[in-house]
Amino acid sequence: MKLLFLYSFLLNPSIDSSKTELLNEVVITANRSAYQEFQTPNSIKVLNKKYLKTYAPRTAPEALMGVNGVFVQKTNHGGGSPFVRGLTGNQTLLLVDGIRLSNSTFRYGPNQYFNTIDPFSIEKIEVLKGAGSVQYGSDALGGTIQVFTAEPEFGSKWKTNLLGRVATHRMEQTTRGEVNYGGEKLAISASFGYRNFGDLVGGKITGRQSPSGYDEQMGNLKAKLKLGKGIMTLAHQYFEAKDVPVYHKVVLENFAINEFQPQRRNLSYLKFNQKNDSKIFNEFSIIGSLQMTYEGRNSQKNGSTRLISETDKVYTKGLTTNVFSAFSEKWTANSGIEIYHDLVRSSKIDAPASPASSEAPKFLRGLYPDNSTFLNYSLYTLHQFVQNHWQFSAGLRYNGFSIIVPDETIGKTNLTPQALVPNVSVAYLIGSKSNIYASYNAGFRTPNVDDLGTLGIVDFRYELPTNNLKPEKSNNYEIGYKFRTNRFSAATALYYSDLQDLIARVKVPNQVINGYNVYQKENIEKANIKGIEAEFEGLISKELKTYGGFSYTYGQNITKNEPMRRIPPLNGRFGLEYRKTNFFVRPELLFASKQDRLAQGDKDDNRIGKSGTAAWQIFNIHAGYEYKWLNINLSAQNLTNKDYRTHGSGINGAGRSLWLTLNVEI
């Protein structure tokens, strides 16, 4: 058990941890090693295995819906982009098992890449709000979201899981199988799943939203081997979604076809972790990874005889080392080195839509310059100090980059930006029940290949490449309070983010290409974001608890003197949970207020419109029952059949529907 948890226990030795009914989660992301969430001087939200089992989310992004301080936008049914403190896309960092999912082609604004994580493979999700640049590097302006996939267990012998899920209106048909083996020194887990999603059916007026359905398949393999004092882990993750329509493009714009085909991700990694008796090298880990993302896009205008097929492939090699040091009873640290290298391959084919046509295809420049490279290297150190009731944390990261974009239109771009970012926090632990803290986190995001090399149609504009961009920067300030007993917990945080040198698209005067206005990126904007988050959880009785929370975000573009784009409205949820023996039922209300504080870019976006997004409230019930080898989960969504849309989305949410999941353990 880590030092801070022992410290809390010493402050109140009468606590019997075996009788604690509200869990104090162990979190990794905030400090790159295990600490109790209550003692962490950050705003961090944990979605554990029990939470995920209760909600049985359809996708990884949908697991975050309703989570305090997170707002999920859906451009299409096969996507989902989490907003953390008003920022998303390449301004919020995504990690899987300590490895960067974010790469150099992640774009500003919503994207679909968090959907490439198999939701059934997830053990835990941690959302670190307003921090992460010192811990994990570029892109964590809004925060960091890290997924931890399930680990095979030593000594568990053979175990097989078979899962099936169906939904009303044929909105989902899923089958998945998993095999686990755990011996004394070797543990293995393997799984494969296939999923068919029909068109998403919205509320009473919306009805069936076609085309929005698609297919996907995923597979996972993880093996752990004990080697002396260490553990070697070998893992592979595979995901592929096929024929994923971009619904609003087909319905609202002049497209007969607009789809992702395919959306694919492969991640392989080798990890070695060892604990030692040494104070300096108390625990050591090294991860080598190879990740490939493949994004294909097909589009055809109404009345056109030509089909445009674009392909972007990103090959990412990664190497991460981390050392946990326990210098004394009061001083611990994490230090390490990270290196990532992206190779971007991009192409475009303009071909006849009819196979019978005798016309020759045209091979064109892709969305990005082919063979662009992006090298990201860094050194970091994070330190934690405890003195009586006080806890101090401080860290520093040096990050360097080498970015080469060989563009034919503007010539070769070779940038070498650097950043040195700190963080510092202080917490005062009032006994074992209260924690008041203040923190400062510097953040940065270096311009990537998408910023520098994009040429083509993006959303509702035509974008040109550029070669003169600087990193975006942020200064994030937060004060918060956490309270916890064995029957009640609450947390609240006030935050303020100062954003500088933001990269924005600037309209090129008097230029139109293919009917679209022309834009180019520049470092021109300053902005700030401020907000409040609050949540609680309380046990009414042994079987019944109540929970809830809300978050409010206010973003202002100082340069343009207008609201920031896509800022989520006031949103939250409240509910009850009754859980006894092997049964639970969890009714809850999710809500969002109207968002009519709009930037000009919001008003021009056909997913939002000039009047903004209407307020909504939906009522869901989740229930489950376990009997020996059988687990049943039933979710009744949107019982009032409300028509609603999360702000900035291109498709409405599901209407009244039932989702049944059966899991058999053999």
Side-chain angles (χ1 to χ4, degrees):
M1 198 70 71
K2 294 297 184 192
L3 177 64
L4 294 179
F5 180 71
L6 291 175
Y7 172 70
S8 176
F9 179 80
L10 290 173
L11 284 176
N12 194 346
S14 63
I15 293 177
D16 182 353
S17 61
S18 66
K19 296 181 181 179
T20 300
E21 298 184 66
L22 293 181
L23 294 178
N24 186 9
E25 298 286 351
V26 174
V27 297
I28 306 295
T29 305
N31 293 309
R32 296 193 70 118
S33 61
Y35 288 89
Q36 296 291 331
E37 185 275 334
F38 176 72
Q39 282 88 3
T40 304
N42 300 95
S43 182
I44 186 165
K45 185 65 179 178
V46 181
L47 282 62
N48 59 22
K49 189 173 183 178
K50 180 180 177 181
Y51 180 98
L52 297 169
K53 197 172 183 179
T54 297
Y55 282 95
R58 189 184 71 91
T59 65
E62 291 181 20
L64 295 169
M65 286 186 171
V67 171
N68 189 254
V70 182
F71 195 78
V72 178
Q73 182 269 11
K74 291 185 63 174
T75 294
N76 57 294
H77 192 35
S81 192
F83 279 70
V84 181
R85 294 192 169 172
L87 299 175
T88 192
N90 56 23
Q91 295 175 321
T92 296
L93 180 61
L94 305 178
L95 304 166
V96 180
D97 292 338
I99 300 163
R100 292 176 66 95
L101 176 64
S102 301
N103 64 41
S104 60
T105 64
F106 273 34
R107 58 186 176 273
Y108 166 76
N111 61 50
Q112 72 278 14
Y113 303 112
F114 198 61
N115 194 60
T116 64
I117 301 173
D118 175 8
F120 302 109
S121 71
I122 299 174
E123 182 79 15
K124 182 172 67 168
I125 303 176
E126 294 183 4
V127 182
L128 175 62
K129 293 174 271 188
S133 284
V134 174
Q135 296 91 326
Y136 297 99
S138 178
D139 303 346
L141 297 180
T144 303
I145 301 175
Q146 179 158 202
V147 169
F148 297 89
T149 59
E151 299 284 344
E153 299 178 1
F154 294 108
S156 60
K157 302 301 180 183
W158 288 100
K159 184 188 299 182
T160 301
N161 293 325
L162 300 175
L163 181 143
R165 180 186 292 169
V166 293
T168 52
H169 310 297
R170 299 183 65 84
M171 284 192 290
E172 179 177 353
Q173 296 173 328
T174 290
T175 58
R176 184 180 189 267
E178 181 177 333
V179 177
N180 294 274
Y181 169 76
E184 292 185 6
K185 292 189 175 183
L186 176 66
I188 301 175
S189 175
S191 67
F192 183 82
Y194 175 79
R195 316 184 73 185
N196 171 258
F197 298 110
D199 289 334
L200 179 61
V201 178
K204 54 188 174 183
I205 297 175
T206 303
R208 186 172 297 276
Q209 301 172 92
S210 181
S212 58
Y214 63 99
D215 294 344
E216 70 182 28
Q217 58 191 26
M218 66 282 289
N220 300 278
L221 175 66
K222 185 178 286 189
K224 297 174 67 175
L225 178 65
K226 290 183 179 180
L227 296 174
K229 294 183 178 180
I231 295 178
M232 180 80 74
T233 302
L234 175 64
H236 180 75
Q237 301 171 10
Y238 159 75
F239 173 95
E240 182 172 4
K242 301 178 180 179
D243 302 311
V244 185
V246 184
Y247 173 75
H248 78 282
K249 289 281 188 180
V250 177
V251 175
L252 300 178
E253 300 182 24
N254 189 30
F255 283 96
I257 298 173
N258 197 293
E259 64 182 8
F260 294 102
Q261 169 52 18
Q263 185 71 59
R264 184 185 304 149
R265 182 177 67 89
N266 283 279
L267 169 63
S268 298
Y269 67 86
L270 183 65
K271 176 181 179 180
F272 180 75
N273 185 83
Q274 180 172 306
K275 296 182 179 181
N276 306 295
D277 296 329
S278 168
K279 289 185 177 182
I280 296 178
F281 293 95
N282 187 263
E283 188 171 345
F284 170 79
S285 67
I286 182 169
I287 306 175
S289 61
L290 178 62
Q291 187 163 212
M292 189 275 283
T293 61
Y294 182 117
E295 181 178 316
R297 296 179 298 277
N298 295 330
S299 63
Q300 181 183 358
K301 292 279 190 174
N302 286 314
S304 174
T305 61
R306 310 292 291 186
L307 177 68
I308 307 299
S309 298
E310 299 177 276
T311 299
D312 299 324
K313 300 178 184 178
V314 183
Y315 301 89
T316 304
K317 299 175 183 177
L319 180 66
T320 298
T321 64
N322 182 73
V323 175
F324 174 76
S325 304
F327 296 111
S328 70
E329 288 290 319
K330 300 180 179 181
W331 177 21
T332 60
N334 283 276
S335 305
I337 300 171
E338 287 192 325
I339 304 172
Y340 287 92
H341 180 271
D342 287 357
L343 170 64
V344 179
R345 304 301 309 271
S346 187
S347 62
K348 180 178 181 180
I349 301 175
D350 181 345
S354 172
S357 175
S358 60
E359 295 183 59
K362 301 177 183 178
F363 297 90
L364 308 172
R365 178 205 192 268
L367 183 64
Y368 309 117
D370 197 31
N371 288 314
S372 297
T373 60
F374 186 93
L375 176 63
N376 172 357
Y377 54 93
S378 58
L379 302 169
Y380 66 87
T381 185
L382 301 153
H383 296 257
Q384 296 80 42
F385 308 89
V386 174
Q387 180 65 42
N388 297 326
H389 293 266
W390 293 93
Q391 174 191 329
F392 302 92
S393 298
L396 190 68
R397 173 180 286 252
Y398 165 77
N399 219 148
F401 302 86
S402 176
I403 309 167
I404 300 176
V405 182
D407 191 272
E408 296 177 358
T409 59
I410 60 173
K412 181 179 179 181
T413 297
N414 190 345
L415 298 180
T416 57
Q418 301 178 62
L420 185 66
V421 290
N423 67 7
V424 63
S425 64
V426 58
Y428 184 72
L429 303 179
I430 308 171
S432 60
K433 298 178 181 179
S434 296
N435 177 4
I436 185 168
Y437 66 89
S439 67
Y440 164 75
N441 289 272
F444 75 101
R445 187 187 74 82
T446 193
N448 62 15
V449 173
D450 179 82
D451 295 314
L452 297 163
T454 295
L455 174 65
I457 299 171
V458 180
D459 289 337
F460 48 88
R461 56 178 72 84
Y462 194 97
E463 190 168 316
L464 297 177
T466 186
N467 60 2
N468 186 25
L469 294 175
K470 301 179 293 183
E472 299 178 323
K473 302 168 188 168
S474 69
N475 292 292
N476 303 316
Y477 306 89
E478 179 178 335
I479 58 173
Y481 175 73
K482 301 178 184 181
F483 177 84
R484 175 176 293 274
T485 68
N486 64 339
R487 298 187 63 84
F488 181 80
S489 68
T492 186
L494 295 169
Y495 62 88
Y496 176 85
S497 297
D498 176 51
L499 304 165
Q500 302 174 15
D501 294 326
L502 291 178
I503 297 171
R505 297 183 178 102
V506 178
K507 188 175 180 179
V508 180
N510 304 317
Q511 283 200 32
V512 177
I513 298 178
N514 296 334
Y516 291 88
N517 291 324
V518 177
Y519 288 77
Q520 199 166 28
K521 292 192 178 87
E522 296 180 18
N523 289 96
I524 61 166
E525 293 187 355
K526 294 183 179 181
N528 59 54
I529 300 175
K530 52 191 173 184
I532 181 172
E533 299 164 355
E535 61 181 329
F536 72 93
E537 185 178 27
L539 293 172
I540 299 173
S541 68
K542 184 177 180 181
E543 293 85 14
L544 184 64
K545 75 175 179 181
T546 182
Y547 61 92
F550 73 91
S551 64
Y552 175 72
T553 305
Y554 184 96
Q556 184 70 14
N557 187 315
I558 305 301
T559 303
K560 294 183 177 180
N561 191 27
E562 66 173 13
M564 286 187 67
R565 285 205 64 192
R566 303 188 186 95
I567 291 294
L570 171 71
N571 65 92
R573 69 175 170 187
F574 296 94
L576 295 169
E577 180 180 279
Y578 177 83
R579 190 177 292 266
K580 186 173 183 180
T581 315
N582 298 327
F583 170 77
F584 77 87
V585 60
R586 187 177 175 113
E588 66 177 18
L589 173 73
L590 278 73
F591 68 91
S593 65
K594 181 180 180 179
Q595 182 55 289
D596 53 7
R597 288 195 73 250
L598 304 177
Q600 187 59 48
D602 293 330
K603 297 175 183 178
D604 295 338
D605 191 333
N606 55 21
R607 291 167 293 188
I608 299 174
K610 298 185 183 301
S611 60
T613 304
W616 53 266
Q617 308 84 34
I618 60 170
F619 183 61
N620 302 329
I621 298 179
H622 304 275
Y625 180 74
E626 292 185 29
Y627 177 75
K628 295 182 180 179
W629 44 266
L630 177 63
N631 183 288
I632 303 172
N633 184 288
L634 182 65
S635 293
Q637 295 192 21
N638 195 359
L639 293 181
T640 60
N641 209 25
K642 175 79 172 180
D643 292 289
Y644 78 100
R645 174 175 294 199
T646 57
H647 182 60
S649 295
I651 193 166
N652 283 2
R656 185 188 296 122
S657 53
L658 293 175
W659 307 70
L660 175 65
T661 305
L662 300 177
N663 189 31
V664 177
E665 295 186 4
I666 302 174

